[in-house]
Amino acid sequence: MTDREFGLVENIRVIKEKRGAVILAHNYQLGEVQDIADFVGDSLELSQKAAETDAGVIVFCGVHFMAETASILCPDKTVLLPDIHAGCPMADMITAERLMEKKQEHPQAVVVCYVNSSAEVKAESDICCPSANAVAVIESLDAEEILFVPDQYLGNYVSTKTGKKMILWPGFCPTHARITAERIKELKHENPRAKAVVHPECRPEVIAIADETTSTGGMCRYAQREDVTEMIVGTEIGIIYRLRKENPGKKFIPASEQAVCPNMKSITLEKVLWSLEEMEPEVKVPEDIRLRAKNAVDRMLRVGARR
Ligand code: 13P
Ligand code: SF4
């Protein structure tokens, strides 16, 4: 640890205690931020942690929709997002207004929104789904018609897995779009023992050649398998820090060095400290939207609990 980190970590520890705060961090966060977190996980795991914590303050080291989900679940807690500009470009590819227009074209459709969406979009949806159990969410539905927003690649993956035909919104993650099947083939050739594990936000041709497709939490569990000694990691490269830390001696190869989400990287120790000192920026979902969005999130958590 550098002198800078040492001083910041100590100051964060003291103020965190004073505020009665819990720090939740997504698997893509900078290593230094993962190290000060009480819990590091994927979107579903983080919302489950937010729902069950006794802490009055949640410092969410992730992106805006994740902090909003915590606020939807815990309206009485203060949810801090250390960088209010940490958004998700994929979540921004749909708005509640555009979803309402689409719903008018398909009045019978059950609306499923990926958890990577705004609270307003969740409020217009029937059920939310995380990457961790998107297949289980779709299988839980008894519906003739499903409208899936905003990630076309996750939607296509789930549709292929379940055999359910879905209307897909044309959104995508710009970070995962940088991962190519050609590069994974090259890496497999250079590392013949490596398993290629990719995120369902990847393009269909990437998923088609992968050994496994799973959420970031699923990747962390997969890496711990005894038969896995080398892994080509098809997701945002921040997760490699955690994979290496938890699996010393195993080899983790990024599927693309360009798979960096700048929003996830915008949270630093300095911002976490400042956020706890100032008790801002706070993310709070207005009550009317929160109540409608909560139905969709609660349904997701009920399916998640059966995982
Ligand atoms: P996970 O829920 O798998 O961690 O994915 C979140 C995300 O933003 C992927 O880009
Ligand atoms: Fe959004 Fe992609 Fe960043 Fe995940 S990696 S937060 S989907 S832009």
Side-chain angles (χ1 to χ4, degrees):
M1 204 187 285
T2 62
D3 286 350
R4 165 193 159 266
E5 284 169 9
F6 189 79
L8 286 164
V9 168
E10 183 52 17
N11 288 340
I12 290 169
R13 192 188 60 74
V14 172
I15 187 118
K16 189 187 123 183
E17 186 106 352
K18 186 169 145 201
R19 300 286 190 219
V22 66
I23 301 180
L24 304 181
H26 187 264
N27 289 320
Y28 297 158
Q29 289 289 294
L30 293 172
E32 63 183 37
V33 174
Q34 294 189 28
D35 285 344
I36 52 135
D38 296 289
F39 183 78
V40 182
D42 66 23
S43 308
L44 177 62
E45 292 164 342
L46 293 174
S47 46
Q48 286 166 333
K49 284 283 165 197
E52 70 194 30
T53 184
D54 292 332
V57 177
I58 299 173
V59 182
F60 217 113
C61 300
V63 292
H64 196 265
F65 75 81
M66 296 179 178
E68 270 191 341
T69 307
S71 166
I72 289 166
L73 290 166
C74 318
D76 301 332
K77 298 187 193 302
T78 304
V79 180
L80 302 173
L81 179 63
D83 184 337
I84 200 65
H85 302 295
C88 168
M90 181 215 280
D92 294 341
M93 289 179 188
I94 186 166
T95 60
E97 290 68 30
R98 292 181 69 200
L99 176 55
M100 283 189 281
E101 283 164 21
K102 195 77 182 166
K103 278 167 66 172
Q104 279 177 359
E105 288 171 30
H106 303 277
Q108 304 303 326
V110 171
V111 181
V112 182
C113 72
Y114 188 21
V115 70
N116 295 34
S117 55
S118 68
E120 289 82 357
V121 166
K122 288 184 175 76
E124 287 299 324
S125 302
D126 297 299
I127 182 166
C128 223
C129 97
S131 60
N133 66 346
V135 170
V137 166
I138 298 301
E139 278 173 346
S140 77
L141 302 175
D142 181 19
E144 291 290 313
E145 209 178 10
I146 296 171
L147 171 58
F148 189 94
V149 301
D151 186 3
Q152 60 179 308
Y153 297 144
L154 175 67
N156 178 69
Y157 167 71
V158 177
S159 171
T160 312
K161 284 292 254 190
T162 59
K164 297 213 184 195
K165 219 169 142 285
M166 302 189 332
I167 304 149
L168 305 177
W169 191 265
F172 66 96
C173 164
T175 298
H176 285 82
R178 295 191 189 115
I179 297 170
T180 64
E182 289 66 34
R183 183 66 187 137
I184 293 187
K185 279 184 204 152
E186 277 171 20
L187 289 170
K188 277 187 141 192
H189 188 69
E190 289 162 19
N191 304 273
R193 282 190 310 188
K195 301 280 187 201
V197 185
V198 307
H199 198 274
E201 287 175 18
C202 289
R203 297 170 189 275
E205 63 271 23
V206 169
I207 291 176
I209 57 156
D211 295 291
E212 180 72 300
T213 302
T214 185
S215 67
T216 62
M219 288 184 188
C220 294
R221 288 187 289 281
Y222 189 93
Q224 295 194 329
R225 279 171 41 168
E226 263 177 38
D227 60 328
V228 176
T229 53
E230 297 180 18
M231 194 165 133
I232 298 163
V233 184
T235 194
E236 210 275 349
I237 59 173
I239 195 173
I240 302 242
Y241 178 82
R242 176 172 170 192
L243 291 171
R244 289 188 179 142
K245 188 172 159 184
E246 291 182 349
N247 303 278
K250 293 194 181 186
K251 186 174 173 187
F252 297 98
I253 309 146
S256 167
E257 296 283 356
Q258 274 78 52
V260 178
C261 175
N263 295 283
M264 284 284 182
K265 297 292 172 285
S266 71
I267 292 177
T268 58
L269 291 181
E270 283 84 353
K271 287 183 190 169
V272 172
L273 178 59
W274 165 80
S275 184
L276 275 164
E277 279 170 347
E278 301 298 324
M279 290 295 281
E280 61 178 64
E282 184 178 356
V283 172
K284 193 149 187 65
V285 177
E287 193 60 8
D288 55 331
I289 295 170
R290 187 188 79 79
L291 288 173
R292 287 189 294 132
K294 190 170 181 298
N295 288 330
V297 175
D298 281 345
R299 276 185 78 181
M300 166 184 91
L301 291 178
R302 282 199 292 276
V303 178
R306 297 205 296 266
R307 195 155 59 134

